[in-house]
Amino acid sequence: MNQTLTLIHNRRSTRKYADTPVTREEKDAILSAAMRAPTAGNMMLYSIIEVEDQALKDRLADTCDHQPFIAQAPYVLLFLADYQRWMDFFAWSEAPQSCREKGLQPRLPQEGDLMLACCDALIAAQTAVIAAESMGIGSCYIGDILENCEVHQQLFNLPRFTLPITLLCFGRPFVTRENPRLIKRFDRKFIVHRDRYEQMNPDEFPEMMKEALQQFPNVQPGEAARQVAQAMYHRKFVSDFSVEMSRSVRQWIDRWTGSADKN
């Protein structure tokens, strides 16, 4: 493997950080890389907030499902899906009036625009992750920023056509990773499809979860896989944080599309 592939294959989430700060030069390198990421129509439908205020980081450590390491991260970036900048630009240019003069109907951003902006923001975020990794700086995604819509909107003064799609914590790993212990991924045959989607055969589930089943050495694979699935369902799918995330995302989307104003 070349150096880039080795970097990608050895990367893992970092939640415990060394005392060494991330320098301003390194921060600028991470941001510059993020801003070279692919973007729909070169519109750059995202914004990045550098979270430097310690009180803000402390608050996020609480509102993002109670994760103290967020407050300890040397560098924190919030990636927003952002159509607000373009809507303000369109309004300034009188684009809606020009649209009407041509017999066309102006519109506001809707679900498709939101999804496109989310893609732009996440592509930029992952590019930032790889850039940081190349400098020996680890990272951890915080999807819980999608929770507590009302709190996070106020904390960051977010206008209507923005959505905080992910939070990223950066810092040098507390322990050097010469031989990192990597969490196993599913076998490629369960993830990569050819030409069309193929739903899994139930008999394949134990094989898909073979790594997790090692914790049940004396249980039949089928029953062990059933226990793993049920544990994941309870821990990740119907847990309080997951229910809150769905509620909050619904609020974010309603706010974006204007559905909240109609209710």
Side-chain angles (χ1 to χ4, degrees), residues 20-206:
T20 312
V22 178
T23 68
R24 186 67 253 177
E25 183 180 11
E26 290 168 332
K27 293 176 182 179
D28 289 341
I30 291 170
L31 292 172
S32 294
M35 293 177 65
R36 289 302 308 166
T39 166
N42 199 31
M43 293 179 75
M44 299 181 74
L45 299 171
Y46 62 90
S47 286
I48 305 169
I49 296 178
E50 293 182 291
V51 184
E52 297 186 337
D53 184 88
Q54 187 59 52
L56 261 181
K57 294 201 301 187
D58 291 342
R59 186 80 173 106
L60 288 170
D62 182 48
T63 61
C64 292
D65 201 32
H66 311 292
Q67 300 183 81
F69 75 89
I70 296 173
Q72 299 157 8
Y75 191 42
V76 178
L77 294 178
L78 175 59
F79 285 79
L80 306 173
D82 182 5
Y83 231 109
Q84 188 66 52
R85 180 170 55 247
W86 279 97
M87 294 309 295
D88 292 342
F89 187 27
F90 291 154
W92 172 84
S93 72
E94 300 183 342
Q97 293 91 317
S98 172
C99 186
R100 292 188 187 92
E101 290 168 3
K102 295 180 179 181
L104 301 174
Q105 182 62 41
R107 71 178 185 91
L108 295 175
Q110 293 296 301
E111 293 89 344
D113 307 296
L114 172 57
M115 291 297 101
L116 202 62
C118 287
C119 288
D120 263 20
L122 289 171
I123 293 167
Q126 182 60 14
T127 304
V129 163
I130 299 303
E133 199 75 20
S134 75
M135 295 184 288
I137 298 170
S139 57
C140 185
Y141 277 99
I142 310 294
D144 304 280
I145 191 67
L146 285 166
E147 299 173 38
N148 295 304
C149 165
E150 299 82 359
V151 174
H152 293 149
Q153 186 276 325
Q154 185 176 31
L155 275 180
F156 295 102
N157 190 36
L158 300 180
R160 175 177 172 182
F161 298 116
T162 58
L163 183 148
I165 190 64
T166 196
L167 189 72
L168 267 172
C169 295
F170 294 93
R172 287 180 176 78
F174 181 74
V175 178
T176 303
R177 301 195 204 129
E178 293 182 2
N179 295 297
R181 183 180 65 84
L182 301 177
I183 298 174
K184 296 287 187 180
R185 304 301 195 201
F186 292 150
D187 190 281
R188 184 183 300 181
K189 68 181 180 180
F190 300 118
I191 302 299
V192 181
H193 304 256
R194 181 167 295 171
D195 296 330
R196 63 178 186 174
Y197 186 89
E198 297 285 350
Q199 269 191 274
M200 288 182 60
N201 185 312
D203 293 338
E204 296 178 301
F205 291 140

